Amino acid sequence: MKAKIRSALVACLCPLLLSLWACPVWTRAGEPITLTIRADQPGARINPAMWGIFFEDINFGADGGLYAELVKNRSFDFPEALMGWKTYTKRGGAGSARVEQDQPVTPQNLAYLRLYSGGSMGFGVVNEGFRGIGLKRGERYALSFYARNLGSRNPVIRVDLLGPGDRVLASTKFKKSGKEWEKHSATLESSATEAKGRLAISIEGPGTLDLDFISLFPEKTWKNRSDGLRADMVQMLADLKPGFLRFPGGCIVEGRYLTNRYQWKTTIGAPEDRELIINRWNDEFKHRPTPDYYQSFGLGFFEYFQLCEDIGAEPLPILNCGMACQFNSGELAPLDQLDPYIQDALDLIEFANGPATSVWGAKRAAMEHPAPFKLKMIGVGNEQWGPQYIERYARFAKALKERHPEIQLVSSAGPAPADDRFHFAWAKLRDLDAEIVDEHCYAAPQWFLDNAGRYDAYDRRGPKVFMGEFAAQSVAIASPKNRNNLECALAEAAYMTGMERNADVVRLSSYAPLFGHIDAWQWTPNLIWCDNLRIYGTPNYYVQLLFSRNRGDLVLPVALRDSPQAVAAGGIGLCTYKSAAEFKEVRVTRGSATLWSSNLAANADGWRPESAGSWSIRENAYRQSEPTAITTAFAGEKDWSDYTLSLKARKLDGSEGFIIIVRNSGPGSQVQWNLGGWGNKQHGIQVLSGGQDLIV
Ligand code: AHR
């Protein structure tokens, strides 16, 4: 019930908002809108897990992101073994650093660092982190590394956290190291906040040392787990109260070639034993001379399941089905060699759900989780298409359903929502009695608005829908200009009302991608952006949150009818709210016709400023220059309707932002976009009548 009312509100808001900024609309207003909810005609049950999240290690999502490790290439196993590291010499120091592989700490990650120091002072290496190491003043960091002393002397090992100009922010020393690999650890407290810190490890005086797995984690990880996840990033996910978590991708499931596909079995157990591979998105770092995106698998399948448990989301692992990414090599595992792939899926079910006495259940129990993870769904393949996929899916489905009828299978309908690949897949999957089909769509906001009714006409029989990846695109994918804007967010919201209304067909939905690091992205837009210290949710994030935190359980028929008498109409206004601001290039258009314009470079003809504040033309703009004033300049007529308002505005001073008004039909009766309102903490759209908020 709650959700349906919320949906109706979103449906009301969309045309109102768009009338402000983009589309000509013909909304009716002035009299109350009639919203009829038929509580006596309950429809489909809404899947409680419907609104979920899509996670992929793209844009530094895992390494450099959610996985809180701060040292890049900690085990020297990048193909360019010293990538991320540089030698570091203190005055009077000298030596060499090279990578060796004999007698490693673990056979899975062979490479380690051999450091030779010949001078009287320090010589070592310094790590640049993932576009820097984020350090916070007063926070503690858990350092660990393996060392082996090769020389006859017992050298002192020194570790420093460095800020700009090699300023030391924290430091510690280790005075003993044995002849065999030995793990050392310490805690460092940073004396300053620094987004681009570095970590230096050096030998003081002469000596020869082997070093490996040089690692640094904030002590404050999510749930304070050692080797854990970045707390602020998980918190953003937990706040969504997601119904499910789809992992580990995305294209990284597939890999560019089958050799670097995601293989879950290599991602569990001790972190040192998880073999590093290249990230599928490494080559998309076109703007970096040497791409540096690898998967350490510190965030592996155990951690994904644990994360699901922590945030109350159902796990939805996606497995490789014998196909490399079809946008890359499209390499195929021959059908007669598919068994190991299918076996991986069967073993995963045992790892997640099997008793602690089973082979794979025992591995879960050894990671201190004897209880099962309650896996109910598995995705077969990521974004696959064509007959090759259907053949492989059919083999997976037969084997998995025979052994595990209780596990629901998610299949793929390719990368686009309505092309030949899509229709081919749907027809075949229907014939195969597939359970849930994963649809993907990255398209213009208009597509989402036009398709809000997409599922109204879907066949009620046969497979259900998982809208597994979607996001409105303001311009082209991966362009820096492809921003998370309000128009896209609202288009997604409108589309989501259509999914919810058709909850008998659409079972699951997730926006994609999830995270973007501002210094290390390959894709735009993303739901949540971060740097090494900070994080924020986009308007699209808050749309997901709105739906996810206000889940309905039943669909009720809703009819929305405007009053036929009144037309949405009224003038425009520019308002400063405890602020100084300036405005220019105001245009009111209907389609391609300009109804009114005022460039405000030389005069403010046609404007009716209130007496409060100080309105004047200054430097080619209409400026209200009193930083504490709440005041509006109005223009236009009460009968203006069906228009788009565009203008330029900027805040100059004051404690809040400014407000753009349309449909002003009398004192305090208007629709307004409040930017930087509520103590400069929020933006909002307000529908006001006689000065009272009807809708915010
Ligand atoms: O979400 C980004 C990418 O888009 C995913 O990796 C892939 O499945 C799709 O093409």
Side-chain angles (χ1 to χ4, degrees), residues 54 56 58 250-251 281 382-383 440 442 469 512-513 523:
F54 161 99
E56 175 166 25
I58 180 174
C251 293
W281 294 101
N382 171 44
E383 190 176 67
H440 292 183
Y442 298 99
E469 292 184 29
W523 189 286

Side-chain angles (χ1 to χ4, degrees), residues 127-140:
N127 188 271
E128 67 186 18
F130 295 90
R131 308 290 183 275
I133 292 179
L135 299 169
K136 289 190 183 157
R137 181 165 178 258
E139 297 230 336
R140 289 155 64 84

Side-chain angles (χ1 to χ4, degrees), residues 603-621:
N603 63 64
D605 292 353
W607 290 92
R608 304 182 299 275
E610 288 178 330
S611 54
S614 170
W615 290 90
S616 60
I617 296 294
R618 295 256 209 99
E619 295 172 37
N620 299 325

Side-chain angles (χ1 to χ4, degrees), residues 54 56 58-59 246 249-254 280-281 325 327 382-383 385 415 438 440 442 468-470 477 511-514 523 525-526:
F54 161 99
E56 175 166 25
I58 180 174
N59 309 314
R246 169 192 173 141
C251 293
I252 65 160
V253 168
E254 306 159 70
R280 143 75 174 79
W281 294 101
C325 185
F327 289 114
N382 171 44
E383 190 176 67
W385 66 80
D438 180 9
H440 292 183
Y442 298 99
E469 292 184 29
F470 73 94
I477 288 171
Y511 181 100
L514 183 61
W523 189 286
N526 301 293

Side-chain angles (χ1 to χ4, degrees), residues 15-16 18-19 23-29 562-563 566-569 590-591 641-644 663:
L16 295 174
L18 294 173
S19 73
C23 307
V25 291
W26 293 266
T27 51
R28 315 227 169 244
D562 292 346
S563 155
V567 175
R590 182 181 296 149
S641 68
D642 177 18
Y643 61 79
T644 300
R663 289 170 45 174

Side-chain angles (χ1 to χ4, degrees), residues 295-452:
Q295 298 178 87
S296 70
F297 298 116
L299 170 55
F301 259 46
F302 177 84
E303 290 76 19
Y304 283 119
F305 280 117
Q306 193 178 45
L307 175 61
C308 290
E309 196 170 71
D310 288 349
I311 62 177
E314 286 190 17
L316 173 43
I318 307 290
L319 298 182
N320 188 295
C321 65
M323 301 177 83
C325 185
Q326 291 169 275
F327 289 114
N328 305 140
S329 71
E331 189 186 352
L332 295 171
L335 289 175
D336 60 5
Q337 291 168 34
L338 214 52
D339 285 354
Y341 294 78
I342 295 174
Q343 193 58 47
D344 276 356
L346 292 167
D347 292 341
L348 179 66
I349 299 170
E350 188 173 290
F351 176 71
N353 293 352
T357 48
S358 62
V359 174
W360 288 97
K363 294 187 194 292
R364 180 193 72 237
M367 296 183 79
E368 294 178 25
H369 201 292
F373 279 123
K374 302 190 189 125
L375 175 67
K376 294 185 200 144
M377 303 179 281
I378 284 188
V380 178
N382 171 44
E383 190 176 67
Q384 323 299 161
W385 66 80
Q388 297 87 350
Y389 173 62
I390 299 299
E391 289 167 335
R392 283 163 182 75
Y393 170 77
R395 282 177 163 71
F396 266 78
K398 184 168 183 302
L400 290 175
K401 280 292 167 189
E402 262 170 27
R403 294 270 304 278
H404 290 285
E406 77 284 6
I407 300 289
Q408 284 206 303
L409 299 184
V410 173
S411 49
S412 164
D419 63 1
D420 290 349
R421 295 170 290 194
F422 176 90
H423 294 300
F424 174 82
W426 255 102
K428 296 287 178 192
L429 291 168
R430 201 178 280 288
D431 289 347
L432 286 168
D433 279 333
E435 290 165 297
I436 303 178
V437 177
D438 180 9
E439 301 187 346
H440 292 183
C441 182
Y442 298 99
Q446 194 60 44
W447 185 93
F448 289 91
L449 295 172
D450 292 346
N451 280 276

